Amino acid sequence: MPAIVLVGAQWGDEGKGKATDLLGDKVDYVVRYQGGNNAGHTVVIGDKKFALHLLPSGILTPGCTPVIGNGVVVDLEVLFREIDGLNEKGVDTSRLLISANAHIITPYHVTVDKVSERFLGKRAIGTTGRGIGPTYGDKMGRLGIRVQDLFDPSILYQKVEGALKQKNELLLKVYNRAAIKPQEVVDHLLSFAERLRPMVADTALILNQALEQGKTVLLEGGQGTLLDVDHGTYPFVTSSNPTAGGAATGSGIGPTRIKSVIGILKAYTTRVGAGPFPTELFDEWGERLRSVGGEFGTTTGRERRCGWFDAPVARYATRINGLTDIFLTKLDVLTGIKEIPVCVAYEVDGKRVDEVPVSQTDFHHAKPIYETYPGWEEDITGVTKFEDLPKNAQDYVRALEKLSGTRISAIGVGPDRNATIVLHNMLG
């Protein structure tokens, strides 16, 4: 069986948790391959709502093995708080595997993240302040602490001490903050070691063996395409690669194993944090999308910026990720809007531009060119078949499919895990 990648096709928060949960009972492994607890997935099961920040959504599916891959950065305190919260709700977390090569977010990463963001002032990125960027920075600078280091206290101390030689100079001389003592950090990390030990494995080996045995592996990104550090709206991006290419490096699965790439798109657009957003609404429509759609960050609680569907962004995500399928979420949020605008292109310096501009300056100044589609009044949250949707809703979905450049294979029509219309098999 092949590996399948699930990616956000906008700026994140598209509903990847719902999509992963929908596919969970059809797959054997669900793998988070990048990001950390700066991402959040909300899954609704009956009358229970589960907010997942670091754990793969597959942890909610009995029989599915959830994996935190080598490309993820892990805050151990958050990890065990999340595990304990799920255990209290009766969720079995005993199957969780964590890559020995995943990097650890330490207390000094969180400190540096917060003080450096404040230091930027008006040029702030909009980071969540959870230490993600500094941890990836240390990873690339070869100063990182990996999960496996917790099981060799001598090596752990040497690595923490080496990293803090640099960090303390920065904290003392630039940010006027107190130095951090290496032993305090080491003691903090070691306090998690024995509980962590049974979960740690060579996950790349396990996943490849699973594929050879005919098992299905679902690879789940934490953020969206436009937040990718290489392909997003840089510098207003995350510090890793949530696009499909990052799934191979972040899991240890070779790219030839991946046969399907499913992009998650909202029926409108949102983003959190600073950066360009051509279709952003500052009027009552933006507020309506936010309130009806519950557009508040799962991890931060911040209000999401809201706007109409952006087709150039969808086409860009299709191209960058090689999307084979689209899961369209939150179609129900648009119910009751008489005319629904869709951005089909931009105006930049008086000229029509049909694709996302390569220049950050041009994208920042891009003005949306809209086409409008008739809306619908009927409640669609109980609809299970595409042909039972109101005609205008069907026409809207087909229009987005054509504009996005790949087939829409599933449609979310409500927050519950079962409120989904499936049009095509997405597992390849």
Side-chain angles (χ1 to χ4, degrees):
M1 293 295 290
I4 299 126
V5 181
L6 193 70
V7 299
Q10 293 159 321
W11 276 279
D13 306 309
E14 301 94 347
K16 292 182 291 296
K18 179 183 175 69
T20 306
D21 186 57
L22 173 72
L23 297 169
D25 61 353
K26 301 178 181 69
V27 301
D28 301 290
Y29 292 80
V30 175
V31 186
R32 270 288 301 274
Y33 60 82
Q34 55 78 221
N37 58 301
N38 57 336
H41 300 329
T42 301
V43 178
V44 179
I45 303 176
D47 59 352
K48 292 183 179 180
K49 181 182 286 189
F50 297 88
L52 305 175
H53 306 278
L54 182 59
L55 294 172
S57 301
I59 201 160
L60 299 174
T61 303
C64 178
T65 300
V67 178
I68 292 177
N70 58 274
V72 178
V73 290
V74 182
D75 185 317
L76 295 172
E77 192 169 341
V78 172
L79 173 71
F80 288 117
R81 188 164 63 239
E82 195 164 320
I83 288 172
D84 290 340
L86 290 179
N87 288 341
E88 288 172 6
K89 292 184 177 181
V91 177
D92 177 15
T93 60
S94 63
R95 304 179 312 280
L96 177 65
L97 298 177
I98 301 173
S99 171
N101 291 336
H103 279 246
I104 298 293
I105 300 172
T106 71
Y108 57 78
H109 290 126
V110 177
T111 299
V112 169
D113 196 1
K114 290 179 177 178
V115 298
S116 60
E117 181 77 351
R118 283 197 292 268
F119 191 77
L120 287 172
K122 292 181 179 180
R123 296 190 65 251
I125 302 299
T127 171
T128 59
R130 285 163 167 76
I132 309 297
T135 305
Y136 277 115
D138 275 4
K139 175 180 178 176
M140 295 306 175
R142 290 155 292 181
L143 291 170
I145 310 298
R146 299 197 294 180
V147 166
Q148 60 180 277
D149 296 329
L150 269 66
F151 309 118
D152 188 331
S154 175
I155 289 292
L156 178 63
Y157 185 88
Q158 291 176 46
K159 289 192 172 185
V160 170
E161 184 183 43
L164 280 176
K165 283 183 179 179
Q166 179 196 70
K167 299 294 184 296
N168 281 333
E169 290 291 312
L170 186 69
L171 290 170
L172 285 166
K173 296 180 180 177
V174 177
Y175 299 124
N176 195 29
R177 298 292 175 126
I180 297 172
K181 296 178 180 178
Q183 192 61 54
E184 291 179 357
V185 175
V186 170
D187 290 344
H188 172 76
L189 296 179
L190 287 178
S191 69
F192 300 105
E194 289 313 306
R195 188 177 180 190
L196 184 67
R197 190 186 293 272
M199 307 173 188
V200 179
D202 183 347
T203 55
L205 176 62
I206 290 170
L207 293 172
N208 278 282
Q209 288 176 336
L211 289 168
E212 289 168 4
Q213 293 164 8
K215 303 288 180 66
T216 303
V217 175
L218 183 66
L219 301 157
E220 171 188 69
Q223 286 91 11
T225 297
L226 274 294
L227 291 179
D228 187 279
V229 70
D230 286 292
H231 302 292
T233 48
Y234 191 89
F236 304 101
V237 293
T238 194
S239 302
S240 57
N241 294 108
T243 44
T249 54
S251 66
I253 292 174
T256 55
R257 296 279 198 176
I258 297 167
K259 301 302 180 185
S260 299
V261 182
I262 304 167
I264 315 303
L265 278 170
K266 274 181 185 165
Y268 51 98
T269 310
T270 64
R271 83 169 291 175
V272 172
F277 183 1
T279 67
E280 183 173 10
L281 297 167
F282 300 96
D283 56 13
E284 67 274 13
W285 290 114
E287 185 53 44
R288 184 192 186 284
L289 292 175
R290 184 177 300 111
S291 59
V292 176
E295 298 298 351
F296 301 90
T298 303
T299 296
T300 63
R302 287 186 292 181
E303 289 187 352
R304 293 176 185 146
R305 300 157 64 190
C306 296
W308 301 120
F309 187 87
D310 189 318
V313 162
R315 285 195 295 274
Y316 179 79
T318 296
R319 183 169 67 251
I320 291 296
N321 294 294
L323 297 185
T324 58
D325 299 88
I326 288 173
F327 188 138
L328 187 72
T329 62
K330 293 198 169 185
L331 183 66
D332 55 298
V333 175
L334 300 181
T335 298
I337 301 176
K338 290 184 178 180
E339 294 286 336
I340 306 172
V342 171
C343 172
V344 296
Y346 309 122
E347 180 187 317
V348 180
D349 293 333
K351 298 179 181 178
R352 179 182 171 114
V353 176
D354 290 310
E355 303 296 341
V356 173
V358 68
S359 161
Q360 177 184 319
T361 300
D362 286 348
F363 197 36
H364 179 75
H365 292 102
K367 297 177 181 178
I369 297 173
Y370 287 116
E371 290 182 2
T372 58
Y373 294 84
W376 58 93
E377 296 290 336
E378 300 91 332
D379 180 8
I380 64 172
T381 55
V383 176
T384 58
K385 296 180 180 179
F386 182 75
E387 55 268 27
D388 292 337
L389 286 172
K391 183 179 183 304
N392 287 349
Q394 294 183 39
D395 291 345
Y396 182 76
V397 171
R398 291 306 184 203
L400 299 194
E401 182 176 61
K402 184 176 180 181
L403 288 165
S404 301
T406 196
R407 70 180 187 179
I408 292 176
S409 296
I411 306 164
V413 292
D416 192 79
R417 75 190 303 185
N418 296 318
T420 303
I421 298 170
V422 177
L423 286 78
H424 305 286
N425 175 25
M426 295 183 288
L427 296 181

